[in-house]
Amino acid sequence: MPKVLALTDSSEDIKNFCTEADTLFFRIRPLPAAEHTYDRFREMYRILKASCDLASVEVIVAEYVEAVPLVYFMRRDGYHCPALMIPHSNPYPLNLLFYFLLVAEHVHPADLVICGSQNAVRAYEHLTGIPAANICTFGIKDVYTWQDKAERRELLGLPQDRRILLYTGRFMNDKGLTSLLSGYHRLREHDPSVLLVMSVTHIDPPYFNRLAARMADVILFHRLEKRQTVSLYNAADLFVSGATSIFETYGKSPLEAMACGVPAVVPRWDGFPYFVNGTNGGLVDVEYLTHSNDNPYEFARMSESHFVTVCQEVLSRSGSLAPQVPEWARYERTMKVLPGVLARMAASCAAGPVRTEARKIDKSRYPESVVAVLDHYGLEECEDLLAKACRLGLIDRSARGEETLLRNLHHDLFTVMGSHTPGPAWGDADDGRTA
């Protein structure tokens, strides 16, 4: 029974797959960028070290990118067990990239990053060299099921005679809402019966205010309970998104919609092509940009004209979509796979002598786009990736970073994703690996 240290605030999820392990929990939560500082992470590590016997830990479960610097501090301190990293994000922008480079420079042979698409696996391995696996984090629960559309619309006060497009998620500038709203109004010129409904959780007020004039003919819900969100999916005819987000590795919302029998129209981006196709929705072309869009780290946007074309085509299909969730995307499947992953990590060979001294970054391990960033900012020692980068404002993102470097890194990351043919999920029979 391995001794697991879980750096997380999702203790219920961790307990569901650490059923055979002796688990220590240390609460860590997602932080706003401004709170990502060297001193903050160092203090978190001080509290962690004082609260538990790190020498007894056999496997680390590090959820969220905020947990990754703590793995680095442990290894710098001589504690060198394997880490299962669950970032819920891609390794971009710069601060997130630096966190994973810290681990890459102090790597354990059994380290593993898990993410929800084979595309994201390819991206992690390309940029950081850390092994990654397509294990959905954490997947779709069985509460998302088919319900009667007319009844759901009546319950939510939505019109019965409109064709409803639904967006769910954050109202923030990485979600492509400018393109989505523009595409929606173009679609209304062809089909005035369509109605966009948005159910949002977190709202960025300045961004919302910028788009307020485009919210005409849009119904907005804020912070619905889960059961209401399930009703809203079932009230819709089509799930839509314009997200070319730099963070998410697969996209849970369109999968939730499909579980309720609603097709999805999303950009040909990131993890979306891994599960969206002509049988359950449609993919919209993406345009790469030479300058950042709404988000300073975002250099791609959905084609609004192609969005109209794809929505029209999907809405014109006869027959309804059967409720569906790919097997790899089910919460229950993830919870069955992960215990075996932890057992293999705990049983892995020793890492060898633990190097705790300061060392140079081995730039030969990384692609040109990453080396260019390191050279530009004079990041030579491993500690520079956190301490010096913090002084330069790259960790708390008070400094955006040089735009050409950010664009080249962005395009390297996401063209690698786009060029990769999706493969089977970890544990699939034809993958040669089992849980």
Side-chain angles (χ1 to χ4, degrees):
M1 179 181 297
K3 185 68 160 289
V4 175
L5 170 63
L7 308 174
T8 180
D9 71 348
S10 305
S11 59
E12 194 62 38
D13 291 321
I14 305 301
K15 288 175 182 176
N16 283 341
F17 68 82
C18 287
T19 54
E20 300 298 323
D22 181 10
T23 306
L24 302 170
F25 285 93
F26 182 78
R27 187 174 185 274
I28 190 167
R29 60 180 176 82
L31 299 171
E35 294 184 33
H36 284 233
T37 67
Y38 182 86
D39 289 341
R40 178 68 180 270
F41 288 127
R42 186 169 57 182
E43 176 62 13
M44 289 166 64
Y45 177 65
R46 186 193 66 78
I47 297 171
L48 168 63
K49 188 176 179 180
S51 66
C52 64
D53 178 13
L54 295 181
S56 69
V57 174
E58 296 174 82
V59 182
I60 307 165
V61 175
E63 188 180 13
Y64 305 120
V65 294
E66 289 82 355
V68 179
L70 302 190
V71 176
Y72 160 68
F73 281 126
M74 285 184 66
R75 292 185 175 171
R76 192 188 65 175
D77 228 5
Y79 305 106
H80 203 198
C81 56
L84 178 68
M85 289 164 277
I86 311 173
H88 303 292
S89 177
N90 291 307
Y92 177 84
L94 293 182
N95 64 326
L96 307 192
L97 173 65
F98 293 163
Y99 299 163
F100 286 96
L101 294 183
L102 283 168
V103 172
E105 290 296 312
H106 297 75
V107 71
H108 186 288
D111 282 344
L112 188 67
V113 177
I114 63 172
C115 37
S117 78
Q118 197 70 22
N119 293 353
V121 166
R122 174 78 172 182
Y124 265 99
E125 294 184 341
H126 174 68
L127 253 62
T128 73
I130 302 172
N134 172 207
I135 301 173
C136 192
T137 55
F138 281 115
I140 307 304
K141 296 184 177 180
D142 58 10
V143 297
Y144 295 96
T145 57
W146 181 87
Q147 299 171 357
D148 182 79
K149 180 181 294 185
E151 290 180 359
R152 297 305 96 186
R153 289 190 177 189
E154 182 177 0
L155 177 69
L156 293 164
L158 296 172
Q160 299 284 356
D161 59 347
R162 304 287 293 275
R163 296 209 282 184
I164 292 179
L165 313 183
L166 174 64
Y167 165 81
T168 64
R170 293 177 284 112
F171 201 110
M172 291 186 170
N173 63 3
D174 69 308
K175 303 300 284 186
L177 298 182
T178 301
S179 296
L180 178 63
L181 290 169
S182 296
Y184 164 60
H185 287 296
R186 286 193 185 195
L187 180 61
R188 279 182 56 83
E189 293 174 4
H190 298 274
D191 183 359
S193 73
V194 298
L195 172 66
L196 177 62
V197 176
M198 304 178 76
S199 175
V200 301
T201 51
H202 301 82
I203 295 178
D204 176 1
Y207 184 59
F208 181 87
N209 291 339
R210 280 172 48 201
L211 297 183
R214 304 188 190 196
M215 294 293 287
D217 302 308
V218 176
I219 293 177
L220 181 70
F221 291 94
H222 184 219
R223 291 193 178 278
L224 291 180
E225 297 177 0
K226 182 171 289 187
R227 61 180 178 79
Q228 295 173 305
T229 302
V230 175
S231 293
L232 191 55
Y233 279 126
N234 279 279
D237 295 292
L238 186 64
F239 176 88
V240 292
S241 174
T244 51
S245 175
I246 61 174
F247 296 111
E248 287 128 331
T249 62
Y250 70 101
K252 187 175 286 188
S253 293
L255 283 164
E256 292 172 347
M258 290 177 190
C260 298
V262 179
V265 169
V266 293
R268 193 183 307 276
W269 185 254
D270 205 340
F272 291 150
Y274 187 59
F275 61 90
V276 177
N277 53 56
T279 68
N280 56 21
L283 293 167
V284 182
D285 292 343
V286 168
E287 303 163 348
Y288 282 88
L289 309 173
T290 57
H291 298 288
S292 60
N293 199 15
D294 292 318
N295 184 311
Y297 309 105
E298 194 169 36
F299 296 87
R301 68 184 174 198
M302 179 185 73
S303 167
E304 296 163 11
S305 59
H306 195 228
F307 172 79
V308 172
T309 300
V310 176
C311 284
Q312 289 175 320
E313 192 277 322
V314 176
L315 286 170
S316 69
R317 295 175 190 168
S318 58
S320 58
L321 177 70
Q324 56 181 263
V325 179
E327 187 61 26
W328 60 266
R330 293 184 180 277
Y331 181 88
E332 293 78 9
R333 179 190 179 279
T334 299
M335 295 301 141
K336 289 179 181 178
V337 169
L338 286 178
V341 174
L342 282 180
R344 285 193 294 273
M345 294 175 72
S348 64
C349 59
V354 177
R355 295 178 57 192
T356 59
E357 75 279 4
R359 71 181 84 168
K360 293 281 189 182
I361 299 170
D362 181 5
K363 297 180 183 179
S364 67
R365 305 173 56 194
Y366 307 115
E368 183 179 336
S369 60
V370 173
V371 174
V373 171
L374 299 176
D375 288 346
H376 180 82
Y377 292 107
L379 305 178
E380 301 293 336
E381 304 278 346
C382 293
E383 188 78 356
D384 290 345
L385 292 164
L386 200 55
K388 185 175 182 179
C390 189
R391 294 194 298 272
L392 293 172
L394 302 174
I395 297 298
D396 65 5
R397 300 186 203 162
S398 57
R400 291 184 175 182
E402 201 280 321
E403 186 174 80
T404 300
L405 294 172
L406 289 172
R407 183 195 65 224
N408 292 343
L409 186 62
H410 175 282
H411 289 357
D412 190 16
L413 173 66
F414 290 104
T415 54
V416 162
M417 284 190 180
S419 65
H420 185 63
T421 302
W426 181 285
D428 287 352
D430 57 353
D431 193 26
R433 297 173 296 189
T434 60

